[in-house]
Amino acid sequence: MKEVKDLSRKEAEMELALLAQKIAAADTAYYQNDAPDLTDAEYDALKHRNTEIEAEFPDLVRIDSPSKRIGAAVQSKFNKIEHKFPMLSLGDVFSIAEVADFVMSVKRFLNVAGETIDFMAEPKIDGLSFAARYENGFFISGATRGDGIVGEDITENLKTLKQLPLKLPIGVPEVLEIRGEVYMAKSDFLALNERNTASKKKIFANPRNAAAGSLRQLDPRITAERKLSLWAYTWGEVSERQWNTQAEFFEKLAEWGFPVNPLNKVCHTLGEIEDNFKHITEIRAELPYDIDGVVYKVNSLDLQNRLGFLTRTPRWAIAHKFPAEQALTRIDNIRIQVGRTGALTPVADLEPINVGGVLVSHATLHNEDEIKRKDIRIGDTVVVQRAGDVIPQVVEVRLDKRPANAVPFEFPQVCPECGAHAIREEDEAIRRCTGGLTCPAQAKERIKHFVSKDAFDIVGLGDKVVEAFYNDGIIKHPADIFTLEERNGGVGDDLFAFGDEGLHLERRAGWGKLSVDNLFAAIRARQTISLPRFIYALGIPQVGSATALLLAQNYGTFDALQHDMMLRETAKLVAIDGIGGEMGNDIVEFFNEQHNINEIDKLRQYIKVENYVDERRNDSALSGKTVVFTGTLEKMTRAEAKALAQKFGAKVAGSVSSHTDYVVVGTDAGSKARKAVELGIKTLSETEFITITES
Ligand code: IVH
């Protein structure tokens, strides 16, 4: 076989087509027919070759490339189940000091600095979460977590798990949704892999993958053949909550016949939390199943309710993960990535290495000072580390292994993508390309951001396709996405019927008609978009999803936001709790840059931005109102009061202005209370405020 670097474009293109076909056939044999026709090594070799060629010829990456396919091809065929209450995730910490911070923040929020708060410490099971719904004591449906909002219907698969009770004792709540983790015991995993080796079937990388692959089977008979276990640990919808603490919940679970992990333990102090973590760390290897940390939950449900939730995680729980996994490997090259806002980030290309079950071939080097500080050179052997889902990092250089020809890295002073000056501001760590949207890298990154999951979420426009379309001049700006179908020259069976007019993606990108139709359908489906997504998609520096949501909540319509920003009307903006002066500046500047104005104008010819409708309590006296807190509150902390106001649909501002509706005045209130009186804004005592939220 020819080396990849010796391939001509034509040869590369043909081989990629062949590989896509072979790998797809192998996937079908494996997933659909449960009869693999390749060994794992053969399969991996094909995938590897595909990756190599794609790396060498990025513009030849196919829309149906195997590198874009994740896992089981059958997944889309599961029915969807919407979770009544979202299945959330947990914040991660990696040290006892951070756990101490968490405990402190809980206490600060509740204003109980001197008191003890009990935490339930539970092993964090490394499996996949499930939700099982019971009505009148009978198991009626089961779902995977999915994206937390909508999961897959795995009712039949769950029924095959012997540990899951299908009928509960008399007296359970009428509606009861139990959640927990499905896992494969280490011994069952090894046995499965042994059997699969013998029968030349797929070898799973770890018990988690094996559990996922076994549970998410369209044919539940396959699930039944695999040994899966479970632990129950929380609940979703319940018609009547019969417990007041997490500990009491575990007692109920056990009574009802669910497996409850015997290592779950109430800790009264930080010392106990630490001892427990040490103990669990020590016995980790001997446990019959994989865990990746310890979860701490405030034991009292009253306190949990007061603490509430952040965007995606509860304030009352956290995951204390085991330390990151490390490995030694070599730096083959250092290259510069140019981000959406022009930041130049050095990235190390590594000799691929398995770090805790994941193949790592790149690591971020953060910035030029980091490279200097750690004295990282091309050719060095380094310790790389992977913690949670973060991008792998280089921890240190092994100087004892430095070869004589290791090359120090010269950080470029110009953008490697467009040649514009790259400058570094006085107090900044990051060097930035000054090319703006004339820099192809920045332009491409902005498009990638625009179509990404939390923005327009256009399936079919993955990174590689965006790159290829940009390079071909097909999509130069986000707005071009929405003229693609029209410019394509229509969709017809006879691809050559349109002469040379139009783009003919079918021919140019080598896609099938179906892929092209799917892409157009995906784009059309996004021509109406929610306000928070639209704001986020614009790629305003510093504005992530959470800030975009705040802006949407506070301005309600895109016109209102744009109007204020273009007039540099910042009073309302910087009064928003969570938007600081610097961020405010970036937002205003963004809306006043001519090319952004043009782009927004163009976009709005093709898409409809929905006004923001606050889904939070909009029947309360606080909904839509702007509230400012001042002075000391007696019955709750400031943080708790803010969260409460937000829960009832209010916006919380940091300063009093003509936009303020209520000022809640605690004791020792100062200038804000005076200003409220001056401006004739209604003031509320703490008790009045609470009464409103209770009414
Ligand atoms: S509680 C709102 N408890 O970890 C809290 N999760 O990062 C919901 N997990 O998706 C989760 N063991 O899959 C909880 N004892 C435990 C857990 C646990 C494992 C997983 C679960 C969840 C993820 C959160």
Side-chain angles (χ1 to χ4, degrees):
M1 191 163 32
K2 263 195 182 174
E3 283 208 36
V4 169
K5 63 176 169 35
D6 299 330
L7 290 177
S8 72
R9 270 184 75 77
K10 194 78 219 152
E11 285 171 331
E13 194 174 358
M14 281 171 53
E15 197 175 337
L16 283 176
L18 203 63
L19 283 166
Q21 203 184 1
K22 275 193 192 165
I23 293 170
D27 282 342
T28 310
Y30 182 80
Y31 290 114
Q32 256 99 303
N33 310 336
D34 203 27
D37 52 358
L38 296 179
T39 65
D40 244 34
E42 286 166 342
Y43 181 82
D44 288 344
L46 292 181
K47 290 268 272 214
H48 185 71
R49 176 85 178 165
N50 189 70
T51 317
E52 273 191 342
I53 302 179
E54 287 186 348
E56 191 71 26
F57 300 92
D59 56 320
L60 292 183
V61 173
R62 301 166 58 87
I63 186 86
D64 64 348
S65 162
S67 61
K68 293 209 199 80
R69 202 103 47 103
I70 25 143
V74 288
Q75 63 190 16
S76 60
K77 294 186 197 154
F78 280 100
N79 288 325
K80 303 284 181 212
I81 288 190
E82 188 164 342
H83 300 298
K84 271 276 167 55
F85 294 93
M87 289 181 79
L88 300 168
S89 49
L90 296 170
D92 279 352
V93 295
F94 289 88
S95 67
I96 192 71
E98 289 171 295
V99 176
D101 286 348
F102 163 71
V103 173
M104 277 288 291
S105 71
V106 165
K107 290 190 178 174
R108 221 179 300 124
F109 191 95
L110 298 168
N111 198 18
V112 290
E115 298 166 35
T116 57
I117 289 191
D118 288 350
F119 287 89
M120 177 64 78
E122 308 169 19
K124 186 167 188 300
I125 314 301
D126 198 7
L128 61 154
S129 43
F130 72 93
R133 188 181 172 87
Y134 294 82
E135 286 179 13
N136 302 310
F138 288 96
F139 173 70
I140 60 148
S141 66
T144 60
R145 177 174 184 279
D147 62 2
I149 309 289
V150 179
E152 288 166 342
D153 185 341
I154 50 160
T155 308
E156 296 308 316
N157 311 64
L158 274 180
K159 278 188 190 162
T160 70
L161 268 71
K162 303 212 170 44
Q163 287 179 315
L164 187 83
L166 299 179
K167 183 176 180 308
L168 303 180
I170 310 247
V172 299
E174 220 172 280
V175 175
L176 175 64
E177 185 193 331
I178 298 299
R179 295 175 176 181
E181 202 87 350
V182 169
Y183 66 94
M184 190 177 283
K186 293 176 189 170
S187 55
D188 293 324
F189 159 73
L190 291 175
L192 172 66
N193 267 357
E194 241 166 65
R195 281 202 309 277
N196 280 5
T197 312
S199 55
K200 297 210 157 68
K201 288 191 194 158
K202 184 179 161 136
I203 308 298
F204 290 103
N206 52 48
R208 209 200 88 83
N209 284 1
S214 305
L215 190 61
R216 295 173 63 258
Q217 283 287 344
L218 273 183
D219 182 353
R221 280 173 303 186
I222 301 175
T223 311
E225 285 167 12
R226 310 271 174 90
K227 284 214 177 101
L228 291 173
S229 311
L230 69 94
W231 296 121
Y233 51 66
T234 192
W235 64 94
E237 190 184 7
V238 283
S239 51
E240 172 207 2
R241 203 187 71 204
Q242 303 170 340
W243 53 94
N244 292 315
T245 62
Q246 179 71 12
E248 282 175 25
F249 176 63
F250 283 146
E251 284 167 22
K252 288 278 177 198
L253 279 177
E255 273 171 35
W256 297 334
F258 290 93
V260 177
N261 195 309
L263 293 170
N264 296 339
K265 181 177 187 298
V266 177
C267 296
H268 307 285
T269 62
L270 191 61
E272 283 182 33
I273 287 181
E274 189 170 7
D275 288 346
N276 179 67
F277 188 75
K278 281 195 189 133
H279 174 64
I280 302 276
T281 307
E282 274 162 17
I283 61 170
R284 179 183 182 190
E286 279 112 63
L287 288 177
Y289 47 87
D290 274 348
I291 60 173
D292 56 353
V294 178
V295 178
Y296 306 117
K297 299 173 185 167
V298 169
N299 191 33
S300 149
L301 301 189
D302 279 347
L303 295 184
Q304 283 191 9
N305 287 338
R306 280 177 60 190
L307 285 155
F309 299 89
L310 296 160
T311 322
R312 291 193 179 97
T313 57
R315 252 192 221 101
W316 42 263
I318 202 146
H320 185 182
K321 304 280 279 281
F322 294 126
E325 315 249 13
Q326 299 190 333
L328 274 191
T329 188
R330 200 185 60 229
I331 296 192
D332 288 337
N333 188 27
I334 297 177
R335 62 195 157 81
I336 299 288
Q337 249 172 20
V338 183
R340 153 171 79 80
T341 57
L344 307 191
T345 308
V347 176
D349 288 333
L350 306 169
E351 186 67 27
I353 177 92
N354 188 322
V355 190
V358 172
L359 199 68
V360 168
S361 50
H362 313 284
T364 177
L365 300 177
H366 302 288
N367 56 54
E368 53 194 295
D369 291 347
E370 269 297 286
I371 300 182
K372 277 208 199 95
R373 196 171 64 76
K374 293 181 180 158
D375 187 20
I376 298 170
R377 305 185 186 182
I378 299 167
D380 269 340
T381 294
V382 292
V383 178
V384 291
Q385 159 173 309
R386 225 193 90 239
D389 291 334
V390 299
I391 309 168
Q393 312 194 332
V394 170
V395 182
E396 60 178 9
V397 173
R398 286 287 297 268
L399 290 174
D400 55 323
K401 291 183 185 283
R402 171 168 285 170
N405 60 355
V407 189
F409 182 68
E410 281 287 334
F411 206 93
Q413 310 291 305
V414 295
C415 172
E417 299 280 345
C418 73
H421 274 296
I423 55 167
R424 186 171 163 190
E425 301 285 345
E426 265 307 316
D427 46 0
E428 268 224 64
I430 301 286
R431 189 173 287 281
R432 284 177 202 277
C433 161
T434 54
L437 283 189
T438 61
C439 170
Q442 287 190 49
K444 279 186 250 186
E445 291 308 314
R446 268 177 85 159
I447 301 170
K448 286 182 199 168
H449 173 82
F450 187 85
V451 299
S452 66
K453 194 139 184 43
D454 292 336
F456 272 71
D457 189 21
I458 301 181
V459 185
L461 281 183
D463 286 0
K464 296 270 166 67
V465 179
V466 169
E467 297 263 347
F469 279 9
Y470 184 90
N471 295 340
D472 280 359
I474 296 175
I475 295 177
K476 285 285 188 193
H477 304 279
D480 296 340
I481 294 168
F482 299 99
T483 59
L484 204 56
E485 183 167 5
E486 193 187 311
R487 284 183 292 139
N488 196 46
V491 184
D493 286 329
D494 182 0
L495 300 182
F496 297 92
F498 301 98
D500 282 321
E501 276 171 42
L503 298 170
H504 299 300
L505 294 180
E506 300 89 336
R507 245 187 297 163
R508 186 197 293 249
W511 296 359
K513 173 170 156 36
L514 187 65
S515 315
V516 176
D517 286 352
N518 283 347
L519 175 63
F520 293 158
I523 293 171
R524 264 183 263 122
R526 292 291 183 271
Q527 281 181 313
T528 300
I529 185 132
S530 74
L531 182 56
R533 275 182 184 268
F534 184 67
I535 298 173
Y536 172 73
L538 293 177
I540 306 166
Q542 302 200 55
V543 176
S545 297
T547 308
L549 181 60
L550 278 179
L551 290 170
Q553 284 166 348
N554 281 275
Y555 287 90
T557 69
F558 189 76
D559 287 329
L561 172 68
Q562 193 182 26
H563 174 266
D564 271 19
M565 296 304 98
M566 288 181 75
L567 293 179
R568 298 184 181 273
E569 183 64 65
T570 56
K572 182 167 169 182
L573 181 67
V574 294
I576 300 174
D577 192 45
I579 295 190
E582 261 186 46
M583 194 193 279
N585 240 351
D586 275 354
I587 299 173
V588 170
E589 288 315 317
F590 179 92
F591 278 96
N592 280 287
E593 261 187 56
Q594 195 54 48
H595 62 81
N596 292 333
I597 298 175
N598 296 346
E599 184 64 31
I600 291 170
D601 279 353
K602 252 202 251 160
L603 277 171
R604 298 196 66 197
Q605 291 173 20
Y606 308 112
I607 58 182
K608 180 176 173 321
V609 184
E610 293 171 326
N611 293 342
Y612 185 78
V613 184
D614 212 319
E615 280 174 5
R616 297 172 303 180
R617 289 279 301 262
N618 52 16
D619 52 346
S620 92
L622 286 176
S623 63
K625 302 283 190 239
T626 300
V627 180
V628 173
F629 291 94
T630 178
T632 313
L633 303 177
E634 306 288 334
K635 300 197 180 65
M636 58 180 104
T637 61
R638 186 68 76 79
E640 199 177 350
K642 273 189 195 170
L644 190 62
Q646 281 163 346
K647 190 165 143 200
F648 284 90
K651 297 164 241 170
V652 178
S655 58
V656 180
S657 74
S658 58
H659 300 291
T660 312
D661 295 295
Y662 296 117
V663 176
V664 179
V665 182
T667 50
D668 299 326
S671 63
K672 288 182 194 171
R674 277 201 302 279
K675 188 151 182 208
V677 177
E678 271 166 39
L679 294 176
I681 291 162
K682 182 153 178 56
T683 58
L684 298 174
S685 69
E686 182 180 359
T687 317
E688 286 170 323
F689 168 68
I690 293 174
T691 312
I692 288 189
T693 63
E694 283 170 350
S695 63

